[in-house]
Amino acid sequence: AIIDRAIINLFVQKRLSEKDTEIIGEGKLLTKEARTKIIEEVMTSLEFKIKYDNKKLSVKSIMQEQGRAVVRYLLRQSEKFEPFIWRD
């Protein structure tokens, strides 16, 4: 949801539009500049801080911690894995 919101906001705020596409063959693709805008916006959105395990962490840090938790579970270093579910 956080990634979708970042990309949709680019269009709503008119920072991306039809002019940010180019015709390639029979289809349209985003220009390099448009792709760069999207990447920058997504990376910025991953810095958004939310409450996790009684701490305020960035979404990026939570993703890293969840990855580590999955590995600990798969290596049987942890008895259970609790997925993180974020609700606005």
Side-chain angles (χ1 to χ4, degrees), residues 45-62:
S45 71
L46 292 177
E47 294 302 325
F48 183 74
K49 294 189 185 274
I50 55 178
K51 192 171 184 178
Y52 173 79
D53 200 24
N54 293 319
K55 296 176 268 184
K56 212 148 181 155
L57 295 174
S58 69
V59 173
K60 182 171 66 173
S61 295
I62 294 169

Side-chain angles (χ1 to χ4, degrees), residues 23-49:
I23 297 173
I24 305 291
E26 294 183 26
K28 284 187 180 181
L29 297 176
L30 292 168
T31 62
K32 183 174 182 188
E33 294 80 17
R35 292 190 305 269
T36 299
K37 282 182 194 178
I38 290 172
I39 291 167
E40 288 172 353
E41 195 68 23
V42 167
M43 295 307 290
T44 298
S45 71
L46 292 177
E47 294 302 325
F48 183 74
K49 294 189 185 274

Side-chain angles (χ1 to χ4, degrees), residues 5-37:
R5 186 177 305 154
I7 295 170
I8 291 168
N9 280 340
L10 286 171
F11 287 96
V12 170
Q13 296 169 356
K14 302 201 184 314
R15 291 170 43 207
L16 277 181
S17 67
E18 185 73 22
K19 67 179 167 69
D20 292 301
T21 62
E22 56 190 358
I23 297 173
I24 305 291
E26 294 183 26
K28 284 187 180 181
L29 297 176
L30 292 168
T31 62
K32 183 174 182 188
E33 294 80 17
R35 292 190 305 269
T36 299
K37 282 182 194 178

